[in-house]
Amino acid sequence: MDFRELQSLVEVMEKGSISAAAASLGISQPAVSKHIAKLEREMGVKIFARGQKCSNLTVEGEVLYKFARKTISQLADIKRDFSDIADDVSGIVRISASSIPGDFILPGLLVEFRQLYPNIEVEVRISDSREAIEKMVTRESDISITGHGRHASGFNTVPFARDELVLLVREEHPFAGRENVTLRDLENMDLVGRVTGSSTSRIWEDAFKAHTGKGKHVYLKFGHVSAVVEAVKKGAEGAVISRLAGAGETEGLVMVPFRPSLMRTFSITYGTMTTKAMEMLLDFLLQRKMTGDDE
């Protein structure tokens, strides 16, 4: 049973005709008729007395009409309760995030959260993954979102979003025309990268060492991914970055994926939620997980 079918039944009864119901709902008359016919098939009853106007219900139709009105009324009550909650709950929630989720994932989500809960203030402090976790452990933040693989003792860690690491080069670089590269292709490249503590650097450098049996030294490191991208624009040979970070202003640059793909997961880490505002933000984020699975 579809909610729209119940809506159509209630509108037909309250407006007195299928045409008036269709106008009220903003749909076509055939659509309203199909809703009523589908209800009858699903319930195995006739809703309207044969040969009578739409205002004349059968006994079964009367029961179904009352149910439809009650259901619609209850849904309206729930929406009103949610609105009241959004108006009443206030407070500050502090998030510590590494640069990729902080710069490229959270902004859009938190704008949506702000529209739902206008009295809750959210502060996002961006650092590398290691520092973001430390801020959460020391209670300088309430929730942490990072690509760090470490599970903080006494805290919950839940997968939140997936990301792919790619090689960023200028359009004229020999690798720019390739469908993909391997980690071994990085051996003779003069790469720029992120500072120690960045999960991006840790993941690709660990993968490189596992693949080649040796480490890869990066001589020029930056604290923020935007500086890494800018360095490649200005002449650095290349860098391993998040695909999310490379999706912005990268004119003249090319992102080349690795073979096999170099993937990583961002996670939400949190402890006891001590305020309603913290609970509501955490629930909101968990409902919008982008991991592509049901974990």
Side-chain angles (χ1 to χ4, degrees), residues 40-84:
E40 291 183 326
R41 288 196 307 272
E42 290 175 341
M43 303 307 296
V45 300
K46 287 291 183 182
I47 294 175
F48 297 106
R50 184 171 297 178
Q52 301 296 318
K53 294 182 177 180
C54 290
S55 57
N56 294 322
L57 294 167
T58 63
V59 174
E60 295 86 355
E62 184 70 34
V63 172
L64 190 56
Y65 170 56
K66 289 179 180 178
F67 169 79
R69 285 190 61 186
K70 183 178 180 180
T71 300
I72 292 172
S73 176
Q74 287 177 332
L75 182 60
D77 288 343
I78 290 172
K79 288 182 176 180
R80 186 167 55 252
D81 288 344
F82 284 169
S83 178
D84 290 343

Side-chain angles (χ1 to χ4, degrees), residues 190-195 217-222 227-228 231 236 238:
D190 184 12
L191 299 174
V192 296
R194 297 285 305 283
V195 294
H217 194 80
V218 176
Y219 289 92
L220 183 56
K221 300 179 181 181
F222 296 94
V228 175

Side-chain angles (χ1 to χ4, degrees), residues 147-150 165 183 186 196-218 240 262-264:
H148 205 291
R150 169 187 151 205
L165 300 186
L183 286 165
L186 304 181
T196 302
S198 159
S199 66
T200 297
S201 293
R202 177 181 56 81
I203 288 168
W204 81 258
E205 289 174 9
D206 287 351
F208 179 86
K209 187 172 184 178
H211 188 76
T212 64
K214 56 186 177 181
K216 174 68 176 177
H217 194 80
V218 176
V240 179
L262 195 55
M263 307 297 296
R264 52 104 171 262

Side-chain angles (χ1 to χ4, degrees), residues 158-171:
V158 180
F160 177 59
R162 294 278 284 166
D163 183 32
E164 180 183 12
L165 300 186
V166 295
L167 176 65
L168 184 72
V169 294
R170 295 187 308 284
E171 288 178 340

Side-chain angles (χ1 to χ4, degrees), residues 121-154:
E121 183 177 343
V122 182
E123 294 181 356
V124 181
R125 299 177 181 178
I126 298 174
S127 60
D128 61 48
S129 291
R130 184 172 60 185
E131 184 178 342
I133 289 286
E134 289 174 354
K135 286 183 181 297
M136 196 271 309
V137 172
T138 58
R139 301 295 185 180
E140 295 175 68
S141 66
D142 305 306
I143 299 169
S144 178
I145 303 179
T146 70
H148 205 291
R150 169 187 151 205
H151 289 245
S153 178

